[in-house]
Amino acid sequence: MKNYLLLCGGVGGAKLALGFKNSIDPKHLTIAVNTGDDFTHLDFKICPDLDTVMYTLAGESDVSKGWGRRDESWNMLSALDDMGGETWFQLGDKDLATHIQRTQLLRSGLSLTQATHNLCESFNLQKNIFPMCNQPVETYIQTKNRLLSFQEYFVKLKCEPPVTDFVFKGLDKAEFNKDLDLSTYDEIIICPSNPYVSINPMLQLGALSKHLQDFSQKVTVISPIVNSKSLKGPTAKMMLELGHQISVVTIGKFYQNYSQRIFIDTSDLKESSKLNELGYEVNNANLIMNNTKSKNALAHEIIQLLESR
Ligand code: FO1
């Protein structure tokens, strides 16, 4: 069996990561997760994508919301609201325990990787989930009038302001997670996450970016655009605002220097020849992962193809 590295954002990426977890031995699976969405809120270090992946793999995620924990209660938030505290970013009681624990672990001197693995252990997960880097990188959204921090744009303003560009702060001090030896992965999967804000921060990390460009034959993109719509979140809206068509071809162009293989949904097959012209081998599958069966089926199909190469 080959060794797989998944590059993963939040909800879409986590669904595919679960399919992989259910399909292969964990020793062949490594998941590098975007940390550009991370921020400090109410003095707690919040890592939304790491938590979404962790909760999803542990069967603990709130599937309908896509973030936070299942069977959640909101006593802290409601009490905080009664006191006039800051409640625009909703922290459930069980979820809060994760942020408290992570913040304590980091304050005790652990790296984000070590803190993540400590949390993974408490969810009975293998230690194969890694932050993309151990240094803080913060995604900012440039809108016409203001530069917004990611969570202000995403949660407080509900992705409403039109986007003109993205800024990643902290890159000068950040490096792709040193615990991950890129030469050990036979296949790298770019999960169906938002290319602009979930995968882009990782592509800014020099060592990873160079590796993907040098070994683009090992890199497979799974499109987050299905039937000319985004599966979840603001990917399609951002594409339009940036002057692109909502299409798998726009995804293909975005990753053109990094990948030579793409999976698109069967409903987008009409775009195959344009992707071939961009240099891609095109494969198609059902990319809508709305239950465990479809998550496992997609992972299985990707693995089957890549094992045969
Ligand atoms: N997303 C929301 O839309 N509203 C929230 O109040 C919210 C709270 C929240 C708390 C913890 C956490 O880990 C994630 C949370 N998210 C919330 C999701 C998150 O901010 C975004 O989905 C990701 O950053 C995008 O991948």
Side-chain angles (χ1 to χ4, degrees):
M1 163 92 15
K2 290 181 167 183
N3 288 325
Y4 291 84
L5 173 66
L6 269 54
L7 305 180
C8 193
V11 185
K15 287 180 177 180
L16 184 61
L18 179 60
F20 268 79
K21 178 191 178 239
N22 292 339
S23 306
I24 58 174
D25 189 315
K27 69 172 188 267
H28 295 295
L29 176 63
T30 303
I31 306 162
V33 181
N34 170 45
T35 56
D37 300 7
D38 295 8
F39 75 134
T40 300
H41 181 62
L42 306 174
D43 271 346
F44 297 118
K45 170 84 168 175
I46 318 270
C47 303
D49 287 355
L50 276 171
D51 288 349
T52 297
V53 172
M54 196 170 64
Y55 294 159
T56 301
L57 298 200
E60 278 296 327
S61 69
D62 180 325
V63 178
S64 62
K65 285 208 308 297
W67 52 269
R69 288 188 64 173
R70 71 183 170 93
D71 305 326
E72 187 57 284
S73 58
W74 303 90
N75 294 312
M76 184 285 293
L77 199 74
S78 149
L80 187 63
D81 194 35
D82 291 344
M83 293 170 177
E86 226 182 304
T87 55
W88 61 272
F89 193 80
Q90 299 180 4
L91 296 177
D93 298 331
K94 291 203 284 183
D95 186 35
L96 179 62
T98 303
H99 311 309
I100 292 173
Q101 182 70 354
R102 175 189 293 114
T103 305
Q104 293 295 321
L105 292 168
L106 292 172
R107 278 193 194 142
S108 76
L110 266 56
S111 68
L112 185 57
T113 299
Q114 291 166 330
T116 302
H117 289 173
N118 189 302
L119 292 170
C120 283
E121 218 168 10
S122 51
F123 283 99
N124 290 319
L125 290 172
Q126 300 285 327
K127 295 172 184 170
N128 58 358
I129 302 172
F130 291 78
M132 65 180 195
C133 58
N134 279 304
Q135 305 77 19
V137 168
E138 291 173 280
T139 300
Y140 282 77
I141 309 293
Q142 183 66 60
T143 66
K144 205 170 155 210
N145 302 319
R146 274 182 66 204
L147 186 66
L148 301 167
S149 69
F150 182 79
Q151 297 300 342
E152 188 181 11
Y153 162 81
F154 195 94
V155 176
K156 206 185 239 177
L157 301 176
K158 300 181 173 32
C159 307
E160 274 161 20
V163 171
T164 58
D165 207 353
F166 307 94
V167 174
F168 304 102
K169 294 190 182 176
L171 289 173
D172 51 329
K173 295 196 180 72
E175 50 190 358
F176 184 66
N177 197 322
K178 287 262 188 198
D179 291 332
L180 304 178
D181 177 355
L182 286 165
S183 69
T184 61
Y185 304 109
D186 306 300
E187 301 290 346
I188 301 177
I189 312 292
I190 300 184
C191 286
S193 300
N194 184 315
Y196 305 114
V197 292
S198 296
I199 304 297
N200 209 1
M202 292 196 228
L203 299 179
Q204 306 303 315
L205 302 171
L208 178 67
S209 171
K210 184 172 185 313
H211 186 84
L212 297 182
Q213 292 180 57
D214 290 349
F215 296 95
S216 58
Q217 74 280 5
K218 293 184 177 183
V219 184
T220 301
V221 171
I222 317 302
S223 175
I225 292 290
V226 167
N227 200 12
S228 306
K229 293 190 272 290
S230 45
L231 281 174
K232 183 132 176 76
T235 307
K237 181 177 177 286
M238 287 177 173
M239 272 183 181
L240 274 187
E241 291 164 0
L242 296 168
H244 305 304
Q245 277 191 324
I246 304 172
S247 160
V248 292
V249 181
T250 304
I251 296 293
K253 286 181 182 159
F254 187 86
Y255 292 120
Q256 192 175 10
N257 296 332
Y258 304 102
S259 169
Q260 296 179 25
R261 187 178 289 119
I262 190 165
F263 266 83
I264 59 171
D265 191 77
T266 313
S267 60
D268 291 307
L269 263 178
K270 56 189 178 304
E271 307 291 5
S272 285
S273 58
K274 289 184 205 145
L275 289 164
N276 293 145
E277 281 164 30
L278 291 173
Y280 284 98
E281 172 200 306
V282 178
N283 299 276
N284 72 94
N286 170 27
L287 298 192
I288 300 177
M289 294 179 280
N290 46 13
N291 54 42
T292 309
K293 199 173 159 204
S294 51
K295 289 167 200 163
N296 295 348
L298 178 57
H300 186 76
E301 207 153 328
I302 296 166
I303 293 161
Q304 208 173 23
L305 176 87
L306 296 179
E307 289 292 321
S308 72
R309 295 297 150 110

